[in-house]
Amino acid sequence: MLQLTKRLQEGIALMNNTDSGKINGLLIRICTALISNRSQVFTEEEEEKLSASLVITQDQTKLLIKTIIHIIQQAAHGMVRPALLKEHLLAAGISQDKTDIFIEQWSTNAKAIVDMLRQQCLSEKQLEDVAWDLHLKSASSTLARQAQPIAHVQLTLGDGTTKSSSTTSEKVLMQFNQDQLYDFYDQLEQIQSHLDSLR
């Protein structure tokens, strides 16, 4: 779940050396910000006060905040259960007491954070409309029994804000034979299953 980059390892070391009560307060604040979809967790002034309180530099404070946000977002994107998150955090080198704080906050806030992330737009384009039609393809009129069904699916993509005009929308045309359509349907079923598990 966590790619242990040098920067993340530095953030984890900072976290391990910070008082557990302060980490808990940071986690509460960060979870609240993620749930309310605020782009900035702390103002510059609040970060300065936090740096003084933690007795670390402002750059270290920013790293600590980014590390916590990264861990929570990775858990949310992976829809990780608390027990598995605990394993990942301990494997990443996060101390037991800090891991317990993460698990407590994750158990409390996971559903709300995942719901909020689900509502965020990850792509510039959003699906606006789906149209389809079915054709039979045969080699000749005498071989009508060997006709192959071909499905054409047209996806209309827009910017996701309102119904786009025909000049701003993009149309994607896909052609499927029966096997390809079944494979596509199976993939859509898997996506639906993952979405249902979030509820």
Side-chain angles (χ1 to χ4, degrees):
M1 179 188 91
L2 294 173
Q3 297 278 335
L4 285 178
T5 62
K6 183 181 179 201
R7 196 88 171 126
L8 183 58
Q9 288 173 332
E10 290 170 3
I12 288 171
L14 268 173
M15 193 177 0
N16 285 337
N17 292 326
T18 303
D19 178 69
S20 295
K22 292 182 180 180
I23 292 294
N24 190 48
L26 274 171
L27 260 166
I28 290 170
R29 178 78 178 258
I30 288 168
C31 288
T32 303
L34 288 172
I35 291 167
S36 61
N37 199 22
R38 288 198 318 253
S39 59
Q40 190 175 7
V41 179
F42 295 98
T43 64
E44 280 294 320
E45 185 180 325
E46 289 172 328
E47 277 186 15
E48 287 175 21
K49 289 179 182 176
L50 185 58
S51 294
S53 168
L54 297 172
V55 195
I56 57 177
T57 67
Q58 273 193 280
D59 286 341
Q60 289 174 319
T61 302
K62 288 177 193 272
L63 177 60
L64 181 61
I65 293 167
K66 285 180 181 179
T67 299
I68 294 171
I69 291 171
H70 177 73
I71 291 169
I72 294 294
Q73 286 178 334
Q74 290 300 306
H77 287 299
M79 295 177 282
V80 179
R81 302 229 180 263
L84 185 58
L85 179 60
K86 184 173 187 171
E87 288 177 27
H88 285 291
L89 295 179
L90 291 171
I94 298 175
S95 64
Q96 181 69 50
D97 59 328
K98 305 306 187 297
T99 296
D100 292 340
I101 293 167
F102 264 95
I103 299 308
E104 179 185 338
Q105 291 303 321
W106 180 244
S107 298
T108 304
N109 297 298
K111 184 175 181 348
I113 291 170
V114 169
D115 286 346
M116 189 63 227
L117 288 175
R118 196 175 358 148
Q119 293 172 13
Q120 289 179 345
C121 177
L122 297 177
S123 172
E124 292 178 14
K125 300 287 185 178
Q126 298 292 310
L127 182 64
E128 290 184 349
D129 191 31
V130 177
W132 61 274
D133 60 8
L134 186 64
H135 298 279
L136 290 176
K137 180 180 174 185
S138 63
S140 70
S141 59
T142 58
L143 299 173
R145 290 185 185 170
Q146 295 179 356
Q148 297 176 2
I150 301 292
H152 291 153
V153 178
Q154 179 179 296
L155 306 177
T156 304
L157 306 175
D159 62 9
T161 53
T162 58
K163 283 285 187 188
S164 300
S165 67
S166 59
T167 57
T168 60
S169 64
E170 177 184 345
K171 296 187 185 310
V172 176
L173 184 62
M174 298 182 292
Q175 179 176 306
F176 298 99
N177 65 27
Q178 191 169 6
D179 291 337
Q180 292 169 329
L181 192 57
Y182 276 127
D183 290 342
F184 184 61
Y185 176 77
D186 285 341
Q187 290 179 12
L188 290 175
E189 281 290 309
Q190 290 175 13
I191 293 168
Q192 184 63 51
S193 173
H194 284 291
L195 290 173
D196 290 343
S197 71
L198 292 175
R199 292 186 186 144

